[in-house]
């Protein structure tokens, strides 16, 4: 099993420690770690090359293409972010911006439809929902079949000061998610939201045809016909 984990900050705080507990539950897994902003220090420049040209034409492709390869090689994706001003970290937003061309309405990767993902967000209070949902949006629109959320209200800013009771609650939540991931591994099917956006996007490529490179990509994949990315066609 291969895991790719994306850390929304280089600070090894509470969110990092929770992620380590998640990783430790996958014994023997191959793990690729991406730290932000270290591994992607550039802002998206809105050049639109990734939409209008080939997927690898990003002006920051010397950063993005190795990261894309790690995302595609993984069986399970883990994306983490502490809560910054009620939302994900700026570094995580920059990361997701660079891969917007993998969104369903553009050129999603077939491999994504067979993956599972876990999103982790920790806050000092119960304000993690927007962070979790913001990251999950990108995963859903990438086509990731099933995404689980682990949101934690620590009531402390430092992991070392978090009470044993809260840490035990975090561990129970982690183990519940891990059990579901392992149960579905190798036989996961896209959730309703992913399928819904696939068929909406399919209609757009067949009828509206707003962006010719996207239309051509969908036709080449056979998705405007009877082929589906989550099936052995």
């Amino acid at each position: 099993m291969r895991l790719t984990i994306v850390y929304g900050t280089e600070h090894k705080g509470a969110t990092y420690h929770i992620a380590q507990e998640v990783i430790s539950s996958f014994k023997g897994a191959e793990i690729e770690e991406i730290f932000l902003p270290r591994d992607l220090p550039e802002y998206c420049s809105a050049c639109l090359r990734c939409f209008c040209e080939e997927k690898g034409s990003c002006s920051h492709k010397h950063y993005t293409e190795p990261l894309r390869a790690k995302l595609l090689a993984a069986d399970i994706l883990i994306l983490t972010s502490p809560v910054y001003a009620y939302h994900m970290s700026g570094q995580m937003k920059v990361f997701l911006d660079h891969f917007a061309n993998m969104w369903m309405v553009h050129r999603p990767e077939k491999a994504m439809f067979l993956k599972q993902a876990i999103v982790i967000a920790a806050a000092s209070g119960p304000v993690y929902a927007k962070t979790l949902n913001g990251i999950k949006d990108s995963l859903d629109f990438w086509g990731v079949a099933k995404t689980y959320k682990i949101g934690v209200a620590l009531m402390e800013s430092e992991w070392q000061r978090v009470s044993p009771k809260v840490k035990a609650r975090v561990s129970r939540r982690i183990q519940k998610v891990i059990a579901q991931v392992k149960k579905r591994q190798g036989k996961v099917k896209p959730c309703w939201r992913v399928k819904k956006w696939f068929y909406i996007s399919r209609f757009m490529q067949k009828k509206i045809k707003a962006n010719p490179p996207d239309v051509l990509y969908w036709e080449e994949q056979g998705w405007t016909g009877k082929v589906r990315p989550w099936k052995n066609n």
Side-chain angles (χ1 to χ4, degrees), residues 200-217:
I200 290 173
S201 301
R202 179 176 179 269
F203 174 83
M204 292 172 62
Q205 306 306 342
K206 289 186 69 174
K207 302 298 182 181
I208 301 175
K209 300 186 177 184
N211 187 29
D214 294 342
V215 175
L216 178 61
Y217 178 82

PDB file of all heavy atoms in Angstrom, residues 200-217:
ATOM      1  N   ILE A 200     -22.387  15.591 -14.614  1.00  0.00           N
ATOM      2  CA  ILE A 200     -22.581  16.997 -14.977  1.00  0.00           C
ATOM      3  C   ILE A 200     -21.462  17.445 -15.911  1.00  0.00           C
ATOM      4  O   ILE A 200     -21.705  18.112 -16.931  1.00  0.00           O
ATOM      5  CB  ILE A 200     -22.630  17.884 -13.717  1.00  0.00           C
ATOM      6  CG1 ILE A 200     -23.923  17.615 -12.937  1.00  0.00           C
ATOM      7  CG2 ILE A 200     -22.535  19.365 -14.089  1.00  0.00           C
ATOM      8  CD1 ILE A 200     -23.992  18.321 -11.599  1.00  0.00           C
ATOM      9  N   SER A 201     -20.237  17.071 -15.587  1.00  0.00           N
ATOM     10  CA  SER A 201     -19.088  17.445 -16.422  1.00  0.00           C
ATOM     11  C   SER A 201     -19.161  16.765 -17.781  1.00  0.00           C
ATOM     12  O   SER A 201     -18.800  17.363 -18.811  1.00  0.00           O
ATOM     13  CB  SER A 201     -17.785  17.076 -15.709  1.00  0.00           C
ATOM     14  OG  SER A 201     -17.690  17.742 -14.465  1.00  0.00           O
ATOM     15  N   ARG A 202     -19.614  15.537 -17.795  1.00  0.00           N
ATOM     16  CA  ARG A 202     -19.773  14.812 -19.063  1.00  0.00           C
ATOM     17  C   ARG A 202     -20.755  15.545 -19.972  1.00  0.00           C
ATOM     18  O   ARG A 202     -20.519  15.705 -21.186  1.00  0.00           O
ATOM     19  CB  ARG A 202     -20.252  13.389 -18.775  1.00  0.00           C
ATOM     20  CG  ARG A 202     -20.484  12.529 -20.015  1.00  0.00           C
ATOM     21  CD  ARG A 202     -20.862  11.117 -19.570  1.00  0.00           C
ATOM     22  NE  ARG A 202     -21.128  10.260 -20.729  1.00  0.00           N
ATOM     23  CZ  ARG A 202     -22.333  10.103 -21.274  1.00  0.00           C
ATOM     24  NH1 ARG A 202     -23.383  10.749 -20.769  1.00  0.00           N
ATOM     25  NH2 ARG A 202     -22.494   9.301 -22.306  1.00  0.00           N
ATOM     26  N   PHE A 203     -21.854  16.013 -19.397  1.00  0.00           N
ATOM     27  CA  PHE A 203     -22.833  16.780 -20.173  1.00  0.00           C
ATOM     28  C   PHE A 203     -22.195  18.048 -20.740  1.00  0.00           C
ATOM     29  O   PHE A 203     -22.410  18.401 -21.907  1.00  0.00           O
ATOM     30  CB  PHE A 203     -24.030  17.142 -19.284  1.00  0.00           C
ATOM     31  CG  PHE A 203     -25.026  18.053 -19.954  1.00  0.00           C
ATOM     32  CD1 PHE A 203     -26.009  17.536 -20.796  1.00  0.00           C
ATOM     33  CD2 PHE A 203     -24.973  19.420 -19.755  1.00  0.00           C
ATOM     34  CE1 PHE A 203     -26.917  18.378 -21.418  1.00  0.00           C
ATOM     35  CE2 PHE A 203     -25.881  20.266 -20.376  1.00  0.00           C
ATOM     36  CZ  PHE A 203     -26.858  19.746 -21.211  1.00  0.00           C
ATOM     37  N   MET A 204     -21.392  18.713 -19.907  1.00  0.00           N
ATOM     38  CA  MET A 204     -20.733  19.941 -20.355  1.00  0.00           C
ATOM     39  C   MET A 204     -19.795  19.672 -21.531  1.00  0.00           C
ATOM     40  O   MET A 204     -19.746  20.443 -22.485  1.00  0.00           O
ATOM     41  CB  MET A 204     -19.969  20.568 -19.192  1.00  0.00           C
ATOM     42  CG  MET A 204     -20.850  21.111 -18.080  1.00  0.00           C
ATOM     43  SD  MET A 204     -19.911  21.625 -16.621  1.00  0.00           S
ATOM     44  CE  MET A 204     -18.915  22.937 -17.321  1.00  0.00           C
ATOM     45  N   GLN A 205     -19.047  18.560 -21.457  1.00  0.00           N
ATOM     46  CA  GLN A 205     -18.101  18.264 -22.536  1.00  0.00           C
ATOM     47  C   GLN A 205     -18.819  17.843 -23.827  1.00  0.00           C
ATOM     48  O   GLN A 205     -18.331  18.105 -24.935  1.00  0.00           O
ATOM     49  CB  GLN A 205     -17.125  17.157 -22.107  1.00  0.00           C
ATOM     50  CG  GLN A 205     -16.386  17.411 -20.802  1.00  0.00           C
ATOM     51  CD  GLN A 205     -15.649  18.723 -20.763  1.00  0.00           C
ATOM     52  OE1 GLN A 205     -15.381  19.357 -21.783  1.00  0.00           O
ATOM     53  NE2 GLN A 205     -15.306  19.178 -19.553  1.00  0.00           N
ATOM     54  N   LYS A 206     -19.985  17.221 -23.679  1.00  0.00           N
ATOM     55  CA  LYS A 206     -20.725  16.773 -24.857  1.00  0.00           C
ATOM     56  C   LYS A 206     -21.540  17.894 -25.499  1.00  0.00           C
ATOM     57  O   LYS A 206     -21.647  17.962 -26.733  1.00  0.00           O
ATOM     58  CB  LYS A 206     -21.670  15.632 -24.479  1.00  0.00           C
ATOM     59  CG  LYS A 206     -20.974  14.315 -24.163  1.00  0.00           C
ATOM     60  CD  LYS A 206     -21.977  13.198 -23.933  1.00  0.00           C
ATOM     61  CE  LYS A 206     -22.696  12.822 -25.219  1.00  0.00           C
ATOM     62  NZ  LYS A 206     -23.576  11.633 -25.030  1.00  0.00           N
ATOM     63  N   LYS A 207     -22.116  18.767 -24.669  1.00  0.00           N
ATOM     64  CA  LYS A 207     -23.079  19.726 -25.175  1.00  0.00           C
ATOM     65  C   LYS A 207     -22.559  21.166 -25.221  1.00  0.00           C
ATOM     66  O   LYS A 207     -22.793  21.888 -26.201  1.00  0.00           O
ATOM     67  CB  LYS A 207     -24.360  19.678 -24.322  1.00  0.00           C
ATOM     68  CG  LYS A 207     -25.018  18.312 -24.273  1.00  0.00           C
ATOM     69  CD  LYS A 207     -25.481  17.838 -25.653  1.00  0.00           C
ATOM     70  CE  LYS A 207     -26.193  16.485 -25.563  1.00  0.00           C
ATOM     71  NZ  LYS A 207     -26.633  16.002 -26.896  1.00  0.00           N
ATOM     72  N   ILE A 208     -21.869  21.588 -24.176  1.00  0.00           N
ATOM     73  CA  ILE A 208     -21.439  22.984 -24.100  1.00  0.00           C
ATOM     74  C   ILE A 208     -20.098  23.188 -24.793  1.00  0.00           C
ATOM     75  O   ILE A 208     -19.890  24.166 -25.511  1.00  0.00           O
ATOM     76  CB  ILE A 208     -21.392  23.455 -22.632  1.00  0.00           C
ATOM     77  CG1 ILE A 208     -22.781  23.299 -21.994  1.00  0.00           C
ATOM     78  CG2 ILE A 208     -20.898  24.899 -22.542  1.00  0.00           C
ATOM     79  CD1 ILE A 208     -22.836  23.611 -20.521  1.00  0.00           C
ATOM     80  N   LYS A 209     -19.166  22.267 -24.549  1.00  0.00           N
ATOM     81  CA  LYS A 209     -17.850  22.263 -25.199  1.00  0.00           C
ATOM     82  C   LYS A 209     -17.138  23.613 -25.075  1.00  0.00           C
ATOM     83  O   LYS A 209     -16.658  24.193 -26.054  1.00  0.00           O
ATOM     84  CB  LYS A 209     -17.993  21.874 -26.673  1.00  0.00           C
ATOM     85  CG  LYS A 209     -18.598  20.484 -26.875  1.00  0.00           C
ATOM     86  CD  LYS A 209     -18.603  20.062 -28.331  1.00  0.00           C
ATOM     87  CE  LYS A 209     -19.149  18.642 -28.469  1.00  0.00           C
ATOM     88  NZ  LYS A 209     -19.094  18.137 -29.855  1.00  0.00           N
ATOM     89  N   ALA A 210     -17.051  24.086 -23.819  1.00  0.00           N
ATOM     90  CA  ALA A 210     -16.504  25.426 -23.570  1.00  0.00           C
ATOM     91  C   ALA A 210     -15.003  25.519 -23.801  1.00  0.00           C
ATOM     92  O   ALA A 210     -14.505  26.545 -24.274  1.00  0.00           O
ATOM     93  CB  ALA A 210     -16.833  25.858 -22.136  1.00  0.00           C
ATOM     94  N   ASN A 211     -14.264  24.452 -23.466  1.00  0.00           N
ATOM     95  CA  ASN A 211     -12.806  24.488 -23.578  1.00  0.00           C
ATOM     96  C   ASN A 211     -12.344  23.309 -24.437  1.00  0.00           C
ATOM     97  O   ASN A 211     -12.336  22.163 -23.972  1.00  0.00           O
ATOM     98  CB  ASN A 211     -12.155  24.430 -22.197  1.00  0.00           C
ATOM     99  CG  ASN A 211     -10.653  24.625 -22.251  1.00  0.00           C
ATOM    100  OD1 ASN A 211     -10.132  25.295 -23.148  1.00  0.00           O
ATOM    101  ND2 ASN A 211      -9.950  24.050 -21.288  1.00  0.00           N
ATOM    102  N   PRO A 212     -11.966  23.546 -25.682  1.00  0.00           N
ATOM    103  CA  PRO A 212     -11.624  22.447 -26.600  1.00  0.00           C
ATOM    104  C   PRO A 212     -10.615  21.440 -26.067  1.00  0.00           C
ATOM    105  O   PRO A 212     -10.793  20.229 -26.282  1.00  0.00           O
ATOM    106  CB  PRO A 212     -11.096  23.184 -27.838  1.00  0.00           C
ATOM    107  CG  PRO A 212     -11.839  24.487 -27.820  1.00  0.00           C
ATOM    108  CD  PRO A 212     -11.948  24.851 -26.372  1.00  0.00           C
ATOM    109  N   PRO A 213      -9.534  21.848 -25.366  1.00  0.00           N
ATOM    110  CA  PRO A 213      -8.609  20.838 -24.847  1.00  0.00           C
ATOM    111  C   PRO A 213      -9.276  19.876 -23.854  1.00  0.00           C
ATOM    112  O   PRO A 213      -8.953  18.682 -23.828  1.00  0.00           O
ATOM    113  CB  PRO A 213      -7.514  21.666 -24.168  1.00  0.00           C
ATOM    114  CG  PRO A 213      -7.539  22.975 -24.883  1.00  0.00           C
ATOM    115  CD  PRO A 213      -8.993  23.214 -25.167  1.00  0.00           C
ATOM    116  N   ASP A 214     -10.221  20.402 -23.054  1.00  0.00           N
ATOM    117  CA  ASP A 214     -10.945  19.537 -22.121  1.00  0.00           C
ATOM    118  C   ASP A 214     -11.847  18.572 -22.877  1.00  0.00           C
ATOM    119  O   ASP A 214     -11.917  17.378 -22.553  1.00  0.00           O
ATOM    120  CB  ASP A 214     -11.796  20.374 -21.161  1.00  0.00           C
ATOM    121  CG  ASP A 214     -10.970  21.229 -20.221  1.00  0.00           C
ATOM    122  OD1 ASP A 214      -9.766  20.942 -20.061  1.00  0.00           O
ATOM    123  OD2 ASP A 214     -11.529  22.175 -19.641  1.00  0.00           O
ATOM    124  N   VAL A 215     -12.543  19.071 -23.881  1.00  0.00           N
ATOM    125  CA  VAL A 215     -13.438  18.238 -24.690  1.00  0.00           C
ATOM    126  C   VAL A 215     -12.656  17.105 -25.349  1.00  0.00           C
ATOM    127  O   VAL A 215     -13.068  15.931 -25.307  1.00  0.00           O
ATOM    128  CB  VAL A 215     -14.150  19.082 -25.763  1.00  0.00           C
ATOM    129  CG1 VAL A 215     -14.983  18.182 -26.675  1.00  0.00           C
ATOM    130  CG2 VAL A 215     -15.030  20.147 -25.119  1.00  0.00           C
ATOM    131  N   LEU A 216     -11.504  17.440 -25.933  1.00  0.00           N
ATOM    132  CA  LEU A 216     -10.669  16.434 -26.592  1.00  0.00           C
ATOM    133  C   LEU A 216     -10.210  15.384 -25.589  1.00  0.00           C
ATOM    134  O   LEU A 216     -10.229  14.179 -25.889  1.00  0.00           O
ATOM    135  CB  LEU A 216      -9.463  17.106 -27.251  1.00  0.00           C
ATOM    136  CG  LEU A 216      -8.464  16.162 -27.934  1.00  0.00           C
ATOM    137  CD1 LEU A 216      -9.143  15.376 -29.054  1.00  0.00           C
ATOM    138  CD2 LEU A 216      -7.280  16.954 -28.464  1.00  0.00           C
ATOM    139  N   TYR A 217      -9.811  15.807 -24.417  1.00  0.00           N
ATOM    140  CA  TYR A 217      -9.344  14.881 -23.378  1.00  0.00           C
ATOM    141  C   TYR A 217     -10.449  13.898 -23.010  1.00  0.00           C
ATOM    142  O   TYR A 217     -10.221  12.681 -22.944  1.00  0.00           O
ATOM    143  CB  TYR A 217      -8.892  15.662 -22.150  1.00  0.00           C
ATOM    144  CG  TYR A 217      -8.441  14.808 -20.990  1.00  0.00           C
ATOM    145  CD1 TYR A 217      -7.149  14.287 -20.942  1.00  0.00           C
ATOM    146  CD2 TYR A 217      -9.293  14.518 -19.929  1.00  0.00           C
ATOM    147  CE1 TYR A 217      -6.727  13.496 -19.881  1.00  0.00           C
ATOM    148  CE2 TYR A 217      -8.885  13.741 -18.864  1.00  0.00           C
ATOM    149  CZ  TYR A 217      -7.600  13.234 -18.844  1.00  0.00           C
ATOM    150  OH  TYR A 217      -7.201  12.455 -17.780  1.00  0.00           O
TER     151      TYR A 217
END
